[in-house]
Coordinates of all heavy atoms in Angstrom, one line a residue:
M223 N 102.4 63.3 147.5 CA 100.9 63.2 147.4 C 100.4 64.3 146.6 O 100.7 65.5 146.9 CB 100.3 63.2 148.8 CG 98.9 63.0 148.8 SD 98.1 63.1 150.5 CE 98.4 61.5 151.1
N224 N 99.8 64.0 145.5 CA 99.3 65.0 144.6 C 97.9 65.4 145.0 O 97.3 64.9 145.9 CB 99.3 64.6 143.1 CG 98.6 63.3 142.9 OD1 97.7 63.0 143.7 ND2 98.9 62.6 141.8
R225 N 97.3 66.4 144.3 CA 96.0 67.0 144.6 C 94.9 65.9 144.7 O 94.1 65.9 145.6 CB 95.7 68.1 143.7 CG 94.4 68.8 144.1 CD 94.2 70.0 143.2 NE 92.9 70.6 143.5 CZ 92.7 71.9 143.7 NH1 93.7 72.7 143.7 NH2 91.5 72.3 144.1
P226 N 94.7 65.1 143.6 CA 93.6 64.1 143.7 C 93.8 63.1 144.9 O 92.7 62.8 145.5 CB 93.7 63.4 142.4 CG 94.4 64.3 141.5 CD 95.4 65.1 142.3
Q227 N 95.0 62.8 145.2 CA 95.2 61.9 146.4 C 94.8 62.6 147.7 O 94.2 62.0 148.6 CB 96.6 61.4 146.4 CG 97.0 60.4 145.3 CD 98.4 60.1 145.3 OE1 99.3 60.8 145.9 NE2 98.8 59.0 144.7
R228 N 95.2 63.8 147.8 CA 94.8 64.6 149.0 C 93.3 64.7 149.1 O 92.7 64.6 150.2 CB 95.5 66.0 149.0 CG 96.9 65.9 149.4 CD 97.5 67.3 149.5 NE 97.6 67.8 148.1 CZ 97.9 69.0 147.7 NH1 98.2 69.9 148.7 NH2 98.0 69.4 146.5
E229 N 92.6 65.0 148.0 CA 91.2 65.2 148.0 C 90.5 63.9 148.4 O 89.6 63.8 149.2 CB 90.7 65.7 146.6 CG 91.0 67.1 146.4 CD 90.6 67.5 145.0 OE1 90.0 66.7 144.2 OE2 90.8 68.7 144.6
A230 N 91.0 62.8 147.9 CA 90.5 61.4 148.2 C 90.7 61.2 149.7 O 89.8 60.6 150.4 CB 91.1 60.4 147.4
A231 N 91.8 61.5 150.2 CA 92.1 61.3 151.7 C 91.2 62.1 152.5 O 90.6 61.7 153.5 CB 93.6 61.6 152.0
V232 N 90.9 63.3 152.1 CA 90.0 64.2 152.9 C 88.6 63.7 152.8 O 87.9 63.6 153.8 CB 90.1 65.7 152.3 CG1 88.9 66.5 152.9 CG2 91.4 66.3 152.6
R233 N 88.2 63.2 151.6 CA 86.8 62.6 151.5 C 86.7 61.4 152.4 O 85.6 61.2 153.1 CB 86.6 62.2 150.1 CG 86.2 63.4 149.2 CD 85.6 62.9 147.8 NE 85.5 64.1 147.0 CZ 86.3 64.5 146.1 NH1 87.4 63.8 145.9 NH2 86.1 65.6 145.4
R234 N 87.7 60.5 152.5 CA 87.6 59.3 153.4 C 87.5 59.8 154.8 O 86.7 59.2 155.6 CB 88.9 58.5 153.2 CG 88.9 57.6 152.0 CD 90.0 56.5 152.1 NE 91.3 57.1 152.2 CZ 92.1 57.5 151.2 NH1 91.7 57.4 150.0 NH2 93.3 58.0 151.5
I235 N 88.2 60.8 155.2 CA 88.2 61.3 156.6 C 86.8 61.8 156.9 O 86.2 61.6 158.0 CB 89.3 62.3 156.9 CG1 90.6 61.7 156.8 CG2 89.0 63.0 158.2 CD1 91.8 62.6 156.9
L236 N 86.2 62.6 155.9 CA 84.9 63.2 156.2 C 83.8 62.2 156.2 O 82.7 62.4 156.8 CB 84.7 64.3 155.1 CG 85.5 65.5 155.2 CD1 85.3 66.5 154.1 CD2 85.3 66.2 156.6
E237 N 83.9 61.1 155.5 CA 82.9 60.1 155.4 C 82.9 59.2 156.6 O 81.9 58.5 156.9 CB 83.1 59.2 154.1 CG 82.7 60.0 152.9 CD 83.1 59.2 151.6 OE1 83.7 58.1 151.7 OE2 82.8 59.7 150.5
Q238 N 83.9 59.2 157.4 CA 84.0 58.4 158.6 C 83.0 58.9 159.7 O 82.6 60.1 159.6 CB 85.4 58.4 159.2 CG 86.4 57.7 158.4 CD 87.8 57.8 159.0 OE1 88.0 58.5 160.0 NE2 88.8 57.2 158.4
A239 N 82.6 58.1 160.6 CA 81.7 58.5 161.7 C 82.4 59.5 162.5 O 83.6 59.4 162.8 CB 81.2 57.3 162.5
P240 N 81.7 60.5 163.0 CA 82.4 61.5 163.9 C 82.9 60.8 165.2 O 82.3 59.9 165.7 CB 81.4 62.6 164.1 CG 80.1 61.9 163.8 CD 80.3 60.8 162.8
A241 N 84.0 61.4 165.7 CA 84.5 60.9 167.0 C 83.5 61.1 168.1 O 82.8 62.1 168.1 CB 85.8 61.6 167.3
P242 N 83.5 60.2 169.0 CA 82.5 60.4 170.2 C 83.0 61.6 171.0 O 84.1 61.9 171.2 CB 82.7 59.1 171.0 CG 84.0 58.5 170.6 CD 84.2 59.0 169.2
R243 N 82.0 62.3 171.5 CA 82.2 63.5 172.3 C 81.6 63.3 173.7 O 80.6 62.6 173.8 CB 81.6 64.7 171.7 CG 82.3 65.1 170.4 CD 81.6 66.3 169.7 NE 82.1 66.5 168.4 CZ 81.6 65.9 167.3 NH1 80.7 65.1 167.4 NH2 82.2 66.2 166.1
P244 N 82.2 63.9 174.7 CA 81.5 63.8 176.0 C 80.1 64.4 176.0 O 79.9 65.4 175.3 CB 82.5 64.6 176.9 CG 83.7 64.7 176.2 CD 83.4 64.6 174.7
A245 N 79.3 63.9 176.8 CA 77.9 64.3 176.9 C 77.8 65.8 177.4 O 76.9 66.5 176.9 CB 77.0 63.4 177.7
D246 N 78.6 66.2 178.3 CA 78.5 67.5 178.9 C 79.5 68.5 178.2 O 79.8 69.6 178.8 CB 78.8 67.5 180.4 CG 80.2 67.1 180.7 OD1 80.8 66.4 179.8 OD2 80.6 67.4 181.8
L247 N 79.9 68.3 177.0 CA 80.8 69.2 176.3 C 80.3 70.6 176.1 O 80.9 71.6 176.4 CB 81.2 68.6 175.0 CG 82.2 69.4 174.1 CD1 83.6 69.4 174.9 CD2 82.4 68.8 172.8
Y248 N 79.0 70.7 175.7 CA 78.4 72.0 175.5 C 78.3 72.8 176.8 O 78.7 74.0 176.9 CB 77.0 71.8 174.9 CG 76.3 73.1 174.7 CD1 76.6 74.0 173.7 CD2 75.2 73.5 175.5 CE1 76.0 75.2 173.5 CE2 74.6 74.7 175.4 CZ 74.9 75.5 174.4 OH 74.3 76.7 174.3
G249 N 77.8 72.1 177.8 CA 77.7 72.8 179.1 C 79.0 73.3 179.7 O 79.1 74.4 180.2
E250 N 80.0 72.4 179.5 CA 81.3 72.8 180.0 C 81.9 74.0 179.2 O 82.5 74.9 179.8 CB 82.3 71.6 179.9 CG 83.7 71.9 180.4 CD 83.7 72.2 181.9 OE1 82.8 71.7 182.7 OE2 84.6 72.9 182.4
A251 N 81.7 74.0 177.9 CA 82.1 75.1 177.1 C 81.4 76.4 177.5 O 82.1 77.5 177.5 CB 81.9 74.8 175.6
V252 N 80.1 76.3 177.7 CA 79.4 77.5 178.1 C 79.9 78.1 179.5 O 80.1 79.3 179.6 CB 77.9 77.2 178.2 CG1 77.1 78.4 178.8 CG2 77.4 77.0 176.8
R253 N 80.1 77.2 180.4 CA 80.6 77.6 181.7 C 82.0 78.2 181.6 O 82.3 79.2 182.2 CB 80.6 76.4 182.7 CG 79.3 76.1 183.3 CD 79.5 75.1 184.4 NE 80.0 73.8 183.9 CZ 79.2 72.8 183.4 NH1 77.9 73.0 183.3 NH2 79.7 71.7 183.0
R254 N 82.8 77.6 180.8 CA 84.2 78.1 180.7 C 84.2 79.5 180.0 O 84.9 80.4 180.4 CB 85.0 77.1 179.8 CG 86.4 77.1 180.2 CD 87.2 76.0 179.4 NE 87.2 74.8 180.1 CZ 87.8 73.7 179.7 NH1 88.3 73.6 178.5 NH2 87.8 72.6 180.5
G255 N 83.3 79.6 179.0 CA 83.2 80.9 178.3 C 82.7 82.0 179.2 O 83.2 83.1 179.1
D256 N 81.7 81.7 180.0 CA 81.2 82.7 181.0 C 82.2 83.1 181.9 O 82.4 84.3 182.3 CB 80.0 82.1 181.7 CG 78.7 82.0 180.9 OD1 78.7 82.7 179.8 OD2 77.8 81.3 181.3
R257 N 83.0 82.1 182.4 CA 84.1 82.5 183.4 C 85.1 83.4 182.7 O 85.6 84.3 183.3 CB 84.7 81.2 183.9 CG 85.7 81.4 185.0 CD 86.2 80.1 185.6 NE 86.7 79.2 184.6 CZ 86.3 77.9 184.5 NH1 85.3 77.4 185.3 NH2 86.8 77.1 183.6
I258 N 85.5 83.1 181.5 CA 86.5 83.9 180.8 C 86.0 85.3 180.6 O 86.7 86.3 180.8 CB 86.9 83.2 179.4 CG1 87.7 82.0 179.7 CG2 87.6 84.2 178.6 CD1 87.9 81.1 178.4
L259 N 84.7 85.4 180.2 CA 84.1 86.7 180.0 C 84.1 87.5 181.3 O 84.3 88.7 181.3 CB 82.7 86.6 179.4 CG 82.7 86.2 177.9 CD1 81.2 86.0 177.4 CD2 83.4 87.2 177.1
R260 N 83.7 86.9 182.4 CA 83.6 87.6 183.7 C 85.0 88.0 184.1 O 85.2 89.2 184.6 CB 83.1 86.6 184.8 CG 81.6 86.6 184.8 CD 81.1 85.9 186.1 NE 81.8 84.7 186.4 CZ 81.4 83.5 186.1 NH1 80.3 83.3 185.3 NH2 82.0 82.4 186.4
R261 N 86.0 87.2 183.9 CA 87.4 87.6 184.2 C 87.9 88.8 183.4 O 88.5 89.7 183.9 CB 88.4 86.4 184.1 CG 88.2 85.4 185.2 CD 89.2 84.3 185.0 NE 89.1 83.3 186.0 CZ 89.7 82.2 186.0 NH1 90.5 81.8 185.1 NH2 89.5 81.3 187.0
R262 N 87.6 88.7 182.1 CA 88.0 89.9 181.2 C 87.3 91.1 181.6 O 87.9 92.2 181.6 CB 87.6 89.5 179.8 CG 88.6 88.6 179.1 CD 88.2 88.4 177.7 NE 89.1 87.3 177.1 CZ 88.9 86.8 175.9 NH1 87.9 87.2 175.2 NH2 89.8 85.9 175.4
R263 N 86.0 91.0 182.0 CA 85.2 92.2 182.4 C 85.8 92.8 183.7 O 86.0 94.0 183.8 CB 83.8 91.9 182.6 CG 82.9 93.0 182.8 CD 81.4 92.7 182.9 NE 80.9 91.8 181.9 CZ 80.3 90.6 182.1 NH1 80.0 90.2 183.3 NH2 79.9 89.9 181.1
L264 N 86.1 91.9 184.6 CA 86.7 92.4 185.9 C 88.1 93.0 185.6 O 88.4 94.1 186.2 CB 86.9 91.2 186.8 CG 87.5 91.5 188.2 CD1 86.7 92.5 189.0 CD2 87.8 90.2 189.0
A265 N 88.9 92.4 184.8 CA 90.2 93.0 184.5 C 90.1 94.3 183.8 O 90.8 95.3 184.1 CB 91.0 92.0 183.6
R266 N 89.1 94.5 182.9 CA 88.9 95.7 182.2 C 88.4 96.8 183.2 O 88.9 97.9 183.2 CB 87.8 95.6 181.1 CG 87.8 96.7 180.1 CD 86.8 96.5 179.0 NE 87.0 95.2 178.4 CZ 86.0 94.3 178.3 NH1 84.8 94.6 178.7 NH2 86.2 93.1 177.8
R267 N 87.5 96.4 184.1 CA 87.1 97.4 185.1 C 88.2 97.8 186.1 O 88.3 99.0 186.4 CB 85.9 96.9 185.9 CG 84.6 96.8 185.1 CD 83.5 96.2 185.9 NE 82.3 96.2 185.1 CZ 81.2 95.6 185.4 NH1 81.1 95.0 186.6 NH2 80.1 95.6 184.6
L268 N 89.0 96.9 186.5 CA 90.2 97.2 187.3 C 91.2 98.1 186.6 O 91.7 99.0 187.2 CB 90.9 95.9 187.8 CG 90.1 95.1 188.9 CD1 90.9 93.8 189.2 CD2 89.9 95.9 190.1
W269 N 91.4 97.8 185.3 CA 92.3 98.7 184.5 C 91.8 100.1 184.5 O 92.5 101.1 184.6 CB 92.4 98.1 183.1 CG 93.3 98.9 182.2 CD1 92.8 99.6 181.2 CD2 94.6 99.2 182.3 NE1 93.8 100.3 180.6 CE2 95.0 100.1 181.3 CE3 95.6 98.8 183.2 CZ2 96.3 100.6 181.1 CZ3 96.9 99.3 183.0 CH2 97.2 100.2 182.0
W270 N 90.5 100.3 184.2 CA 89.9 101.6 184.1 C 90.0 102.3 185.5 O 90.2 103.5 185.6 CB 88.5 101.6 183.6 CG 88.4 101.5 182.2 CD1 88.0 100.5 181.4 CD2 88.7 102.6 181.3 NE1 88.1 100.8 180.1 CE2 88.5 102.1 179.9 CE3 89.2 103.9 181.4 CZ2 88.8 102.9 178.8 CZ3 89.4 104.7 180.3 CH2 89.2 104.2 179.0
L271 N 89.7 101.6 186.6 CA 89.8 102.1 187.9 C 91.3 102.6 188.2 O 91.5 103.7 188.7 CB 89.4 101.1 189.0 CG 89.4 101.5 190.4 CD1 88.5 102.7 190.7 CD2 89.2 100.4 191.3
L272 N 92.2 101.8 187.9 CA 93.6 102.1 188.0 C 94.0 103.4 187.2 O 94.7 104.3 187.7 CB 94.5 101.0 187.7 CG 96.0 101.2 187.8 CD1 96.4 101.4 189.2 CD2 96.8 100.0 187.2
L273 N 93.5 103.4 186.0 CA 93.8 104.6 185.1 C 93.2 105.8 185.7 O 93.8 106.9 185.7 CB 93.2 104.3 183.7 CG 93.5 105.3 182.6 CD1 95.0 105.3 182.4 CD2 92.8 105.0 181.4
C274 N 91.9 105.8 186.2 CA 91.3 106.9 186.8 C 92.0 107.4 188.0 O 92.2 108.6 188.3 CB 89.8 106.7 187.0 SG 88.8 106.5 185.5
A275 N 92.4 106.4 188.9 CA 93.2 106.8 190.1 C 94.5 107.4 189.7 O 94.9 108.4 190.4 CB 93.4 105.5 190.9
A276 N 95.2 106.9 188.7 CA 96.4 107.6 188.3 C 96.2 109.0 187.8 O 97.0 109.9 188.1 CB 97.1 106.7 187.3
A277 N 95.1 109.2 187.0 CA 94.8 110.5 186.5 C 94.5 111.5 187.7 O 94.9 112.6 187.7 CB 93.7 110.4 185.5
A278 N 93.7 111.0 188.6 CA 93.4 111.8 189.8 C 94.6 112.2 190.6 O 94.8 113.3 191.0 CB 92.4 111.1 190.7
A279 N 95.5 111.2 190.8 CA 96.7 111.5 191.6 C 97.6 112.4 190.8 O 98.2 113.3 191.4 CB 97.5 110.1 191.8
F280 N 97.7 112.3 189.5 CA 98.5 113.3 188.7 C 97.9 114.7 188.8 O 98.7 115.6 188.9 CB 98.6 112.8 187.3 CG 99.3 113.8 186.4 CD1 100.7 113.9 186.4 CD2 98.6 114.6 185.6 CE1 101.4 114.8 185.6 CE2 99.2 115.6 184.8 CZ 100.6 115.6 184.8
T281 N 96.6 114.8 188.7 CA 96.0 116.1 188.8 C 96.2 116.7 190.2 O 96.6 117.9 190.2 CB 94.5 115.9 188.6 OG1 94.3 115.3 187.3 CG2 93.7 117.3 188.6
V282 N 96.1 116.0 191.2 CA 96.3 116.5 192.6 C 97.8 117.0 192.7 O 98.1 118.1 193.2 CB 96.0 115.5 193.7 CG1 96.4 116.0 195.0 CG2 94.4 115.3 193.7
W283 N 98.7 116.1 192.2 CA 100.1 116.5 192.3 C 100.4 117.8 191.5 O 101.1 118.7 191.9 CB 101.0 115.3 191.7 CG 102.4 115.7 191.5 CD1 103.4 115.7 192.5 CD2 103.0 116.1 190.3 NE1 104.6 116.1 191.9 CE2 104.4 116.3 190.6 CE3 102.6 116.2 189.0 CZ2 105.3 116.7 189.6 CZ3 103.5 116.6 188.0 CH2 104.8 116.8 188.3
A284 N 99.8 117.9 190.3 CA 100.1 119.0 189.4 C 99.5 120.3 190.0 O 100.1 121.4 189.9 CB 99.5 118.8 188.0
V285 N 98.4 120.2 190.7 CA 97.8 121.4 191.3 C 98.7 121.9 192.4 O 98.8 123.1 192.6 CB 96.4 121.1 191.7 CG1 95.8 122.1 192.7 CG2 95.4 120.9 190.6
H286 N 99.3 121.0 193.2 CA 100.1 121.4 194.3 C 101.5 121.8 193.9 O 102.1 122.7 194.5 CB 100.1 120.3 195.4 CG 98.8 120.2 196.1 ND1 98.4 121.1 196.9 CD2 97.9 119.2 196.1 CE1 97.2 120.7 197.4 NE2 96.9 119.6 196.9
V287 N 102.1 121.2 192.9 CA 103.5 121.4 192.6 C 103.7 122.5 191.5 O 104.7 123.2 191.5 CB 104.1 120.1 192.1 CG1 105.6 120.3 191.7 CG2 104.1 119.1 193.3
H288 N 102.7 122.7 190.7 CA 102.7 123.6 189.5 C 104.0 123.4 188.7 O 104.9 124.2 188.6 CB 102.8 125.1 190.0 CG 101.6 125.5 190.8 ND1 100.4 125.7 190.3 CD2 101.4 125.7 192.2 CE1 99.5 126.0 191.2 NE2 100.1 126.0 192.4
P289 N 104.0 122.2 188.0 CA 105.2 121.9 187.2 C 105.4 122.8 186.0 O 106.4 122.8 185.3 CB 105.0 120.4 186.8 CG 103.5 120.3 186.9 CD 103.0 121.2 187.9
W290 N 104.4 123.6 185.6 CA 104.4 124.4 184.4 C 105.1 125.8 184.7 O 105.4 126.5 183.8 CB 103.1 124.6 183.8 CG 102.1 125.2 184.8 CD1 101.8 126.5 185.1 CD2 101.2 124.4 185.6 NE1 100.9 126.5 186.1 CE2 100.5 125.3 186.4 CE3 101.0 123.0 185.8 CZ2 99.5 124.9 187.4 CZ3 100.0 122.6 186.7 CH2 99.3 123.5 187.5
V291 N 105.3 126.1 186.0 CA 105.9 127.3 186.4 C 107.4 127.2 186.4 O 108.0 126.2 186.9 CB 105.4 127.7 187.8 CG1 106.1 129.0 188.3 CG2 103.9 127.9 187.8
E292 N 108.1 128.2 185.9 CA 109.6 128.1 185.8 C 110.1 128.2 187.3 O 109.7 129.1 188.1 CB 110.1 129.3 185.0 CG 111.6 129.3 184.8 CD 112.1 130.4 183.9 OE1 111.3 130.8 183.0 OE2 113.2 130.8 184.0
P293 N 111.1 127.4 187.6 CA 111.6 127.4 189.0 C 112.4 128.7 189.2 O 112.9 129.3 188.3 CB 112.5 126.2 189.1 CG 112.8 125.8 187.7 CD 111.7 126.3 186.8
P294 N 112.5 129.1 190.5 CA 113.3 130.3 190.8 C 114.8 130.1 190.5 O 115.3 129.0 190.5 CB 113.1 130.6 192.3 CG 112.6 129.3 192.8 CD 111.9 128.5 191.7
S295 N 115.4 131.2 190.1 CA 116.8 131.2 189.7 C 117.6 130.8 191.0 O 117.4 131.3 192.1 CB 117.2 132.5 189.2 OG 118.6 132.6 188.9
Q296 N 118.7 130.1 190.7 CA 119.6 129.7 191.8 C 120.7 130.6 192.0 O 121.5 130.5 193.0 CB 120.1 128.3 191.5 CG 119.1 127.2 191.5 CD 118.3 127.0 192.8 OE1 118.9 127.1 193.9 NE2 117.0 126.7 192.7
T297 N 120.9 131.6 191.1 CA 122.0 132.6 191.3 C 121.3 133.9 191.7 O 120.2 134.2 191.5 CB 122.7 132.8 189.9 OG1 121.8 133.3 189.0 CG2 123.3 131.5 189.5
T298 N 122.2 134.8 192.3 CA 121.7 136.1 192.8 C 121.6 137.0 191.6 O 122.4 136.9 190.7 CB 122.6 136.6 193.8 OG1 123.9 136.7 193.3 CG2 122.6 135.8 195.1
P299 N 120.6 137.9 191.6 CA 120.5 138.8 190.5 C 121.6 139.9 190.6 O 122.2 140.1 191.6 CB 119.1 139.5 190.7 CG 118.8 139.3 192.2 CD 119.5 138.0 192.6
P300 N 122.0 140.5 189.4 CA 123.0 141.5 189.5 C 122.6 142.7 190.3 O 121.4 143.1 190.3 CB 123.2 141.9 188.0 CG 121.9 141.5 187.3 CD 121.4 140.3 188.1
I301 N 123.6 143.2 191.0 CA 123.3 144.4 191.9 C 123.5 145.6 191.0 O 124.6 145.9 190.4 CB 124.2 144.4 193.1 CG1 124.0 143.1 193.9 CG2 124.0 145.6 193.9 CD1 124.9 142.9 195.1
T302 N 122.5 146.5 191.0 CA 122.7 147.8 190.3 C 122.5 149.0 191.2 O 121.9 148.8 192.3 CB 121.6 147.8 189.2 OG1 120.3 147.7 189.8 CG2 121.8 146.8 188.1
G303 N 123.0 150.1 190.8 CA 122.8 151.3 191.7 C 123.9 151.5 192.7 O 123.7 152.2 193.7
W304 N 125.1 150.9 192.6 CA 126.1 151.1 193.5 C 126.8 152.4 193.3 O 127.4 152.8 192.5 CB 127.1 149.9 193.5 CG 126.8 148.9 194.5 CD1 125.6 148.2 194.6 CD2 127.6 148.5 195.6 NE1 125.7 147.3 195.7 CE2 126.9 147.5 196.3 CE3 128.9 148.8 196.0 CZ2 127.4 146.9 197.4 CZ3 129.4 148.2 197.1 CH2 128.6 147.2 197.8

């Protein structure tokens, strides 16, 4: 099929009467879109809540454990002055 034949086929399709649509298609699309947006908003808020809880838990752990401090040596120091 060459280009003029494709263009003619597209013109025939576009000149046909549009396919029938359900009467409540718009309302259903709006309801579905609202539901999707509410779910995304809830998921985003839960994600931020989880992230803040993790940051708070890490902060409390770091304050109590002090991971930045070098741990004490496991060997005995050399004895001097004998």
Side-chain angles (χ1 to χ4, degrees):
M223 184 181 275
N224 58 20
R225 184 179 176 127
Q227 290 173 339
R228 282 185 289 175
E229 288 178 359
V232 169
R233 283 193 187 97
R234 278 193 306 274
I235 291 172
L236 291 176
E237 288 172 356
Q238 293 175 355
R243 292 178 189 86
D246 66 338
L247 181 66
Y248 175 76
E250 183 64 28
V252 168
R253 278 191 296 277
R254 213 176 266 178
D256 285 343
R257 186 172 55 235
I258 289 170
L259 288 177
R260 278 195 311 269
R261 286 181 181 173
R262 284 184 184 171
R263 189 179 310 129
L264 177 64
R266 195 177 313 125
R267 286 180 181 172
L268 287 175
W269 175 249
W270 277 109
L271 180 65
L272 179 66
L273 186 66
C274 290
F280 176 77
T281 303
V282 169
W283 171 80
V285 165
H286 288 293
V287 175
H288 300 287
W290 55 87
V291 176
E292 186 176 333
S295 176
Q296 297 298 325
T297 61
T298 57
I301 300 176
T302 58
W304 264 62

